[in-house]
Amino acid sequence: MRILGILACVCTLMVPGLTGSASAQSFSRFKFGVAVGTDEEIRERIEPFRLYLEEVLNRPVDLFLIPTLDELTTALVNGDVDYAVLSGSAYSAASAFCGCVEPLVSARPEVGNGRYHAVVISRRPLTMADLAGKRLAVQDSGSTTGYRIPLANLEKQGIDVREHFRTLLRVESGVDGLLAIMDGRADASLGWSTLSGSPQTGYTAGTLNDYFLSGARGLDKLTVAWASAPLPYDAHAVRANLPDDLKTRLKDGLLQLLAQAPDVYLAIEPDLPGGFLSVKETDYEAFKVTFGEDARKVLERPQQ
């Protein structure tokens, strides 16, 4: 997930007065926004979910098909839609810059605890202290777990990655970073992991699991030297000024959806089939740290 475009859109298009209260009459119709991307059949696929929302909210629900996630995030910030499904990064960009949005639930995979972590991976048994003066493989500066979250959250913990490591080695992917460790070009690499399930297979999902599935050797020589706080996979988010009764109805309906209508659930979350979890604002703190002033100083410095 890349968030630089989202940040630019939100900063540019923020308008005043976004956090004011609204009466229930203001929401006689409910505006639901979806990022279209390249899905040409999305309207037909989403229709059962839109109908479910009408039943749960007891009012007409208008579907807004918006070209990109960046534009959808801006639409939620500006009040053009009342409810949207955002990535964790996109939600946090909106929250950090306007305080006008609120997360209700996030979806989860079929296995695992519904959270993942940004991680620093190294050879066993190195710790972050052991890695001082070593070489770190990083991904593009727009990468969430391959750059932004680790650098920003380590900075918050008092570790300036650019000073802690001798070199930041640019790689294309998390698996490439692990290959760089194995062939001696790097001592550690950034990536992500669920940190649940069996370590022998690289856990249930993430960079170590991708390495295991690639057939590359040496997984048993790798360890996690640092992990971020748990990260939600996405955010079903609403405008903060939505009436409380509508928020409650919507959240309860979403939490019950997989059990009541699994086909409808998969219409809105085809890639995360494990159902919804309740979330709160603090669950996105590790994302939001990337927008702080201290983080900006470390994130915006040119890569070595």
Side-chain angles (χ1 to χ4, degrees):
M1 172 63 198
R2 298 175 60 84
I3 60 178
L4 302 183
I6 294 169
L7 173 58
C9 286
V10 171
C11 289
T12 301
L13 298 180
M14 275 177 52
V15 297
L18 291 174
T19 57
S21 61
S23 66
Q25 287 82 2
S26 303
F27 295 92
S28 59
R29 301 188 72 88
F30 190 79
K31 298 173 290 184
F32 170 48
V34 175
V36 175
T38 59
D39 189 346
E40 296 179 356
E41 300 178 352
I42 193 167
R43 183 180 293 277
E44 181 179 352
R45 176 169 63 82
I46 293 295
E47 180 62 10
F49 183 71
R50 187 192 68 78
L51 293 173
Y52 179 80
L53 291 179
E54 288 193 334
E55 181 180 346
V56 166
L57 299 176
N58 192 31
R59 68 198 63 217
V61 172
D62 300 318
L63 176 62
F64 290 77
L65 298 181
I66 298 176
T68 68
L69 181 61
D70 292 17
E71 292 168 291
L72 177 61
T73 305
T74 301
L76 185 65
V77 166
N78 284 347
D80 298 326
V81 298
D82 303 313
Y83 162 45
V85 184
L86 305 179
S87 69
S89 296
Y91 172 77
S92 300
S95 178
F97 284 92
C98 77
C100 60
V101 294
E102 180 179 332
L104 299 182
V105 300
S106 69
R108 62 180 177 181
E110 201 163 16
V111 296
N113 59 11
R115 296 289 186 269
Y116 68 99
H117 305 257
V119 294
V120 176
I121 301 167
S122 68
R123 281 184 176 271
R124 296 181 182 275
L126 298 183
T127 65
M128 286 300 295
D130 297 326
L131 290 169
K134 304 296 187 180
R135 299 159 298 174
L136 177 69
V138 303
Q139 296 169 50
D140 179 83
S141 60
S143 172
T144 303
T145 56
Y147 189 85
R148 294 181 61 84
I149 286 180
L151 265 66
N153 283 270
L154 282 166
E155 170 72 19
K156 185 178 180 181
Q157 295 172 17
I159 298 176
D160 184 329
V161 166
R162 298 175 189 278
E163 296 179 359
H164 190 78
F165 290 91
R166 181 173 83 244
T167 301
L168 300 188
L169 172 70
R170 173 80 156 78
V171 294
E172 291 301 315
S173 70
V175 170
D176 288 337
L178 301 191
L179 291 172
I181 294 174
M182 300 309 297
D183 68 23
R185 289 177 292 131
D187 301 292
S189 183
L190 302 182
W192 70 280
S193 178
T194 60
L195 296 182
S196 64
S198 172
Q200 283 70 42
T201 60
Y203 303 103
T204 58
T207 305
L208 288 164
N209 184 253
D210 290 342
Y211 188 78
F212 170 78
L213 294 175
S214 76
R217 297 184 177 184
L219 179 64
D220 61 329
K221 296 180 174 63
L222 298 171
T223 190
V224 173
W226 174 87
S228 72
L231 305 168
Y233 280 86
D234 64 8
H236 284 245
V238 296
R239 295 268 304 163
N241 64 351
L242 198 69
D244 288 341
D245 66 318
L246 287 187
K247 294 179 191 176
T248 299
R249 287 188 208 172
L250 178 56
K251 183 170 186 173
D252 289 347
L254 292 173
L255 291 173
Q256 297 167 16
L257 179 54
L258 181 60
Q260 291 190 354
D263 290 347
V264 176
Y265 173 87
L266 291 174
I268 189 64
E269 288 286 4
D271 298 323
L272 294 167
F276 288 121
L277 293 170
S278 179
V279 291
K280 56 187 181 299
E281 186 69 26
T282 54
D283 292 327
Y284 298 86
E285 184 61 31
F287 288 108
K288 293 175 69 175
V289 167
T290 66
F291 300 103
E293 189 61 36
D294 291 340
R296 191 172 299 118
K297 293 175 185 176
V298 70
L299 293 175
E300 293 180 359
R301 276 187 264 166
Q303 289 182 251
Q304 297 167 243

